[in-house]
Amino acid sequence: MRDVVDWIFGNAFAIIGGVILFVGIAAVIVVAGKQSGRANERAIEKKDPREGE
């Protein structure tokens, strides 16, 4: 048990950095997905419904 605690504290900066990196990448993916959805909605709204006739 002591070895596990020592390992965690010895690698705390690497663990925290990895978690922050993971959360940052996930946030970028979520924001990009939302922006893409908004862009698609705007494109659909601007499209002329008579265009397909």
Side-chain angles (χ1 to χ4, degrees), residues 3-50:
D3 292 338
V4 173
V5 173
D6 287 342
W7 182 86
I8 289 173
F9 283 119
N11 293 302
F13 289 116
I15 294 168
I16 292 170
V19 169
I20 291 172
L21 182 64
F22 178 76
V23 170
I25 291 171
V28 168
I29 291 171
V30 168
V31 169
K34 285 184 178 182
Q35 288 179 348
S36 175
R38 288 186 194 130
N40 288 340
E41 288 176 8
R42 285 191 205 116
I44 290 170
E45 288 174 3
K46 289 181 180 180
K47 185 177 180 187
D48 188 359
R50 297 169 291 172

